[in-house]
Amino acid sequence: MKRYSAFAIAREALRDHMGWTRAWESPEPRAQYDVIIIGAGGHGLATAYHLGKEHGITNVAVIEKGWLGGGNTGRNTTIIRSNYLQDPSAAIYEKARSLYETLSQDLNYNVMFSPRGVIMLAQTEHEVRGYKRTAHANALQGVATEYIGPQKVKELCPIICLDGPRYPVLGGLWQARGGTARHDAVAWGYARACSDMGMHILQKCEVTGVKTQNGKVTGVTTSRGDIGCNKMGIVVAGNSGHLAEMAGFRLPVESVALQALVSEPIKPCMDVVVMANTVHGYMSQSDKGEMVIGGGADGYNNYTQRGSFHHIEETVRALIETFPMISRLKMLRQWGGIVDMTGDRSPIISKTPLEGCFINCGWGTGGFKAIPGSGFAMAELMATGRSPLAAEFGMERFREGRFIDESVAAGVAH
Amino acid sequence: MLLLRCPYCGVDCDETELSPGGEAHLKRFGPGSEDADFEGYLFQRENPKGVHFERWRHANGCGKWFHAARCTVTLEVFGTYSAQLTEPPQDIKDAITAKRPGWHWREFA
């Protein structure tokens, strides 16, 4: 792999940019790998990357039915934060956020991490109390957040209307080192680093079945032939239920559509991320100037990657109250991703009833921010059988009643 | 936008008139049941990529609960039926078989 650097750009500029090589290889599948990761999204690629980097396992294939980063990795609103209430969540999301800080250097690929700060608005008395509690919890967990008053919110985000007709802004939970990153670049950067370690990234290779012997996984059947493995990781977000069915177990997961949209590009007008959970909308401005907007998920099972129109209307209607200046903006594009919601709205990083098969799913509406931490924990679990970061996220917690109840903590899906 | 016909009042309603109620025909397990059964009833879901049976409520209408048979991949609706039934009626099953030969969903097929 040729390193990207200022020097490399200068060198290539002098020879008509003919020396750039492909960022990752597209090899033919081998018959057998040590580890197969199903799903070449952010979480799957990060898992493969950390298997190689921390555990020296490089005989790995990452299998993808479409193109890499084409699922929820390329469909989210790119927000990164770790201001969670419960200890296990704060630990894994803060691990992820801290890895994002140096990810561009680690991968030698610019993921455009922009720690511009995230405000979660408190718009009811309950939210004020909730976010103060979260700020105290974060102080104990070593996550840098603070509760701020309305004037500070206005200072950080001048386009906000503090005296909204329904929900005035009473304060907010501020995480100064939260922000955004370039979602595609995260997938591409990991893919390039994995390929450099000799791993195979097999795109347009759909898994059609899981092969087992004596209760242990031995491989998969795919649209590009049978591939054997010693261990398998399922990291497929919305399709987790579908893959679990092939592997012969059930999950406490339901797949629903979550939508996002962007406006026409405008001049810079907000340099923080604002989330308004009571009215359920969140917004940031991309480097191109588009306002990136996300909102609520559909309430019913869906695999169409579209979503219902009335959710867009609800989200935009709510945001116009808080940001009156966006009322004349035209919306350019809308899209949906299929998110996997668990019973307690927290993820699953777990062994499964099938020996040698591991699953990383259930990130629901908030997976992008967790990618590096999720990959780190999943790789540790797959390589050593145990991961302190993933310990609380086992799927047995639903049977044992040990929920990680961020749904109540966040007030909404998060 | 989903359109479902309420089997009670006969109105064709769009989804803003309805509340989704999750997977249909769950077998309920209560006190005294095995942990695995209780977990299955509370949390484990079919979540199929294809034919699915759900509960819906005509919330902004007659207010009654009913069942719907739907495809989660195409959003096609195969039919709606009474909430009193413990399994899909034969005509709905036949309608599904006509369009999705070989479908299965738990023990109903």
Side-chain angles (χ1 to χ4, degrees):
Chain A
M1 174 178 87
K2 286 193 176 155
R3 281 187 66 78
Y4 294 153
S5 65
F7 172 73
I9 293 173
R11 186 188 61 211
E12 291 305 325
L14 292 175
R15 53 177 186 185
D16 294 336
H17 293 281
M18 299 302 286
W20 298 114
T21 53
R22 284 184 179 276
W24 56 83
E25 304 291 324
S26 296
E28 284 302 309
R30 282 199 282 266
Q32 176 82 22
Y33 294 90
D34 289 343
V35 175
I36 286 178
I37 305 291
I38 305 173
H43 290 263
L45 290 164
T47 303
Y49 171 75
H50 285 287
L51 276 174
K53 188 177 174 224
E54 265 89 25
H55 306 284
I57 301 169
T58 55
N59 185 15
V60 175
V62 186
I63 299 178
E64 169 60 48
K65 74 171 173 181
W67 62 97
L68 69 86
N72 295 346
T73 305
R75 292 165 189 268
N76 60 80
T77 51
T78 77
I79 298 169
I80 294 166
R81 60 184 179 86
S82 59
N83 49 358
Y84 284 81
L85 178 67
Q86 310 289 351
D87 291 348
S89 324
I92 196 162
Y93 286 104
E94 177 62 11
K95 173 74 182 175
R97 199 206 55 77
S98 67
L99 286 170
Y100 265 122
E101 295 258 5
T102 56
L103 195 60
S104 295
Q105 288 76 26
D106 294 342
L107 298 178
N108 180 233
Y109 199 97
N110 187 3
V111 303
M112 296 164 71
F113 177 55
S114 162
R116 59 184 68 179
V118 175
I119 312 172
M120 293 172 79
L121 297 181
Q123 294 178 292
T124 64
E125 285 298 329
H126 303 288
E127 266 188 313
V128 171
R129 272 178 251 162
Y131 287 144
K132 283 182 177 170
R133 185 183 173 206
T134 303
H136 292 315
N138 288 161
L140 293 171
Q141 291 151 347
V143 179
T145 63
E146 63 174 314
Y147 184 81
I148 57 175
Q151 286 316 312
K152 175 82 173 167
V153 172
K154 183 81 180 170
E155 217 173 277
L156 288 164
C157 184
I159 63 168
I160 217 164
C161 170
L162 292 182
D163 323 304
R166 283 190 302 169
Y167 296 107
V169 175
L170 304 173
L173 182 65
W174 169 240
Q175 183 170 27
R177 293 301 290 180
T180 62
R182 171 95 167 93
H183 50 4
D184 296 324
V186 172
W188 297 336
Y190 274 124
R192 179 166 168 266
C194 288
S195 184
D196 185 47
M197 286 189 277
M199 297 176 181
H200 282 185
I201 295 159
L202 308 172
Q203 300 183 74
K204 293 186 181 171
C205 180
E206 183 170 2
V207 172
T208 52
V210 174
K211 292 198 290 187
T212 62
Q213 199 169 28
N214 305 325
K216 189 178 181 314
V217 65
T218 57
V220 291
T221 55
T222 75
S223 55
R224 292 174 66 177
D226 291 4
I227 306 175
C229 68
N230 299 328
K231 287 180 184 173
M232 178 174 87
I234 300 174
V235 196
V236 295
N239 283 295
S240 295
H242 191 50
L243 262 294
E245 190 188 352
M246 289 182 201
F249 57 91
R250 292 212 303 170
L251 285 174
V253 163
E254 297 208 73
S255 298
V256 300
L258 176 68
Q259 295 176 80
L261 58 154
V262 293
S263 74
E264 58 189 333
I266 54 173
K267 287 185 177 178
C269 65
M270 71 185 287
D271 58 0
V272 293
V273 179
V274 177
M275 312 186 70
N277 286 342
T278 293
V279 292
H280 214 166
Y282 40 95
M283 189 164 83
S284 63
Q285 190 168 20
S286 75
D287 294 344
K288 286 184 285 185
E290 299 162 335
M291 306 308 286
V292 183
I293 295 171
D298 284 352
Y300 54 87
N301 295 43
N302 184 351
Y303 282 86
T304 60
Q305 295 188 318
R306 288 204 298 271
S308 300
F309 182 75
H310 68 95
H311 279 294
I312 301 175
E313 195 181 354
E314 279 165 18
T315 302
V316 174
R317 187 170 63 207
L319 286 173
I320 285 172
E321 288 182 14
T322 312
F323 304 96
M325 67 157 277
I326 69 166
S327 66
R328 303 296 175 89
L329 279 186
K330 293 183 181 72
M331 295 301 153
L332 273 193
R333 293 192 302 282
Q334 166 275 348
W335 63 94
I338 302 306
V339 298
D340 40 341
M341 311 291 278
T342 61
D344 64 357
R345 301 293 184 261
S346 285
I348 293 170
I349 305 175
S350 181
K351 295 176 183 175
T352 68
L354 180 63
E355 197 187 331
C357 173
F358 299 79
I359 192 157
N360 181 351
C361 69
W363 292 94
T365 60
F368 176 73
K369 65 175 93 75
I371 283 173
S374 156
F376 180 89
M378 179 71 171
E380 193 173 38
L381 179 70
M382 290 187 73
T384 67
R386 178 170 183 282
S387 167
L389 272 182
E392 303 289 326
F393 293 104
M395 58 195 272
E396 70 283 355
R397 72 174 186 269
F398 295 96
R399 188 173 62 246
E400 296 169 0
R402 293 183 295 101
F403 310 120
I404 304 166
D405 205 350
E406 289 290 352
S407 177
V408 170
V412 292
H414 59 94
Chain B
M1 185 75 75
L2 273 181
L3 295 172
L4 298 178
R5 175 167 295 174
C6 173
Y8 294 98
C9 58
V11 172
D12 284 321
C13 26
D14 72 40
E15 64 179 271
T16 53
E17 210 171 312
L18 303 163
S19 299
E23 190 170 311
H25 307 304
L26 290 175
K27 187 168 188 307
R28 281 156 182 76
F29 289 89
S33 59
E34 294 295 321
D35 287 356
D37 290 337
F38 195 51
E39 181 200 12
Y41 157 51
L42 283 180
F43 296 109
Q44 295 198 332
R45 295 293 177 263
E46 292 302 313
N47 194 23
K49 197 169 180 175
V51 176
H52 196 31
F53 298 90
E54 291 169 324
R55 303 172 74 226
W56 286 82
R57 184 170 168 256
H58 193 183
N60 296 318
C62 70
K64 292 212 169 67
W65 285 95
F66 62 91
H67 285 133
R70 219 165 50 76
C71 175
T72 60
V73 177
T74 62
L75 299 190
E76 189 174 359
V77 178
F78 303 115
T80 57
Y81 54 98
S82 158
Q84 268 71 44
L85 297 174
T86 52
E87 68 172 278
Q90 196 56 45
D91 59 321
I92 300 256
K93 288 188 196 173
D94 292 343
I96 298 171
T97 306
K99 287 175 172 163
R100 301 280 187 281
W103 68 280
H104 66 98
W105 192 85
R106 276 200 236 139
E107 68 272 27
F108 312 131

